[in-house]
Amino acid sequence: LRAAVLGANDGIVSTASLIVGVAAAGSGRSEVLIAGLAGLVAGAMSMAAGEYVSGSSQSDTEQADLARERAEQLTQPEAEHQELAQIYIDRGVEPALARQVADQLMAKDALGAHARDELGISEITTARPVQAALTSAATFATGAALPLVMVLLLPSALLIWGVSAASLLFLALLGAVGAQAGGANMAKATLRVTFWGALAMALTAEIGALFGVVA
């Protein structure tokens, strides 16, 4: 969900801002479309690469932690048993019961028990670099496609305001959907994402207009 929302949000904001900035500089529709398409491709690849590198680094760290834990269990099993039991004691379990729980969990899957309760690594939280990369690239491209479609539909005279308004609407919907999916406050999430989107488009419009006058 995090990668999907981030990708779509970034796709809308960055591409819409790029379109508005280029249009404000006085460029024609074809130049605006080329800039938008270039932003879509570059942004999608950047998101994919970033997520893959980040996820791979996390995965490497997890594998190193598991390898170290596996070695410790082979060389000092009693200490590892005590360590696991102490974790449960610190969480409020009776010492005798904590040792019994540690006995049973280590008998079934010692590495899994330590990975989950000592290292915080589980099937749910483990890094998935390829999945995150593909999700980010796909959602970025989807988000970026929305303002590009508006460029095709709107007349040239309404390009800047139309793309800005439509993109803010898309961002508001995305913020509401993301907040609902995550159980967060919808109004706060919607206001936050539209504010930063509007600020980004306003700044790039000013820069585009400035360079357009200079040119």
Side-chain angles (χ1 to χ4, degrees), residues 35-81:
L37 283 171
L40 184 155
V41 175
M45 294 303 298
S46 176
M47 290 289 291
E51 285 289 346
Y52 183 78
V53 170
S54 176
S56 296
S57 297
Q58 180 184 338
S59 181
D60 291 343
T61 301
E62 291 172 351
Q63 293 305 312
D65 287 340
L66 291 173
R68 184 171 56 253
E69 184 63 38
R70 191 179 292 109
E72 290 174 351
Q73 289 181 16
L74 290 174
T75 58
Q76 43 188 342
E78 185 57 36
E80 289 299 298
H81 178 277

Side-chain angles (χ1 to χ4, degrees), residues 61-134:
T61 301
E62 291 172 351
Q63 293 305 312
D65 287 340
L66 291 173
R68 184 171 56 253
E69 184 63 38
R70 191 179 292 109
E72 290 174 351
Q73 289 181 16
L74 290 174
T75 58
Q76 43 188 342
E78 185 57 36
E80 289 299 298
H81 178 277
Q82 275 298 118
E83 186 176 42
L84 189 61
Q86 189 60 48
I87 291 173
Y88 302 138
I89 292 172
D90 293 341
R91 292 177 182 174
V93 180
E94 294 277 346
L97 180 58
R99 284 189 286 271
Q100 291 178 19
V101 172
D103 283 338
Q104 294 180 25
L105 289 178
M106 290 192 70
K108 181 179 181 180
D109 182 8
L111 183 61
H114 279 271
R116 181 178 60 254
D117 293 321
E118 180 186 349
L119 303 176
I121 300 173
S122 68
E123 183 65 25
I124 296 175
T125 62
T126 190
R128 296 179 176 84
V130 174
Q131 179 181 332
L134 293 176

Side-chain angles (χ1 to χ4, degrees), residues 3-215:
V5 171
L6 176 62
N9 179 82
D10 197 21
I12 295 173
V13 173
S14 61
T15 307
S17 297
L18 183 61
I19 287 171
V20 169
V22 174
S27 300
R29 186 188 300 274
S30 60
E31 288 85 356
V32 172
L33 277 173
I34 291 172
L37 283 171
L40 184 155
V41 175
M45 294 303 298
S46 176
M47 290 289 291
E51 285 289 346
Y52 183 78
V53 170
S54 176
S56 296
S57 297
Q58 180 184 338
S59 181
D60 291 343
T61 301
E62 291 172 351
Q63 293 305 312
D65 287 340
L66 291 173
R68 184 171 56 253
E69 184 63 38
R70 191 179 292 109
E72 290 174 351
Q73 289 181 16
L74 290 174
T75 58
Q76 43 188 342
E78 185 57 36
E80 289 299 298
H81 178 277
Q82 275 298 118
E83 186 176 42
L84 189 61
Q86 189 60 48
I87 291 173
Y88 302 138
I89 292 172
D90 293 341
R91 292 177 182 174
V93 180
E94 294 277 346
L97 180 58
R99 284 189 286 271
Q100 291 178 19
V101 172
D103 283 338
Q104 294 180 25
L105 289 178
M106 290 192 70
K108 181 179 181 180
D109 182 8
L111 183 61
H114 279 271
R116 181 178 60 254
D117 293 321
E118 180 186 349
L119 303 176
I121 300 173
S122 68
E123 183 65 25
I124 296 175
T125 62
T126 190
R128 296 179 176 84
V130 174
Q131 179 181 332
L134 293 176
T135 300
S136 293
T139 53
F140 182 98
T142 301
L146 297 175
L148 279 173
V149 170
M150 299 309 299
V151 174
L152 295 173
L153 297 178
L154 292 168
S156 298
L158 299 177
L159 205 58
I160 295 175
W161 290 106
V163 169
S164 298
S167 297
L168 289 177
L169 176 60
F170 297 147
L171 286 171
L173 291 174
L174 178 64
V177 170
Q180 185 178 33
N185 184 287
M186 291 179 62
K188 183 178 179 180
T190 301
L191 180 62
R192 180 172 57 220
V193 73
T194 51
F195 169 78
W196 288 108
L199 181 61
M201 284 183 276
L203 289 175
T204 51
E206 286 297 320
I207 293 173
L210 176 63
F211 278 92
V213 171
V214 172

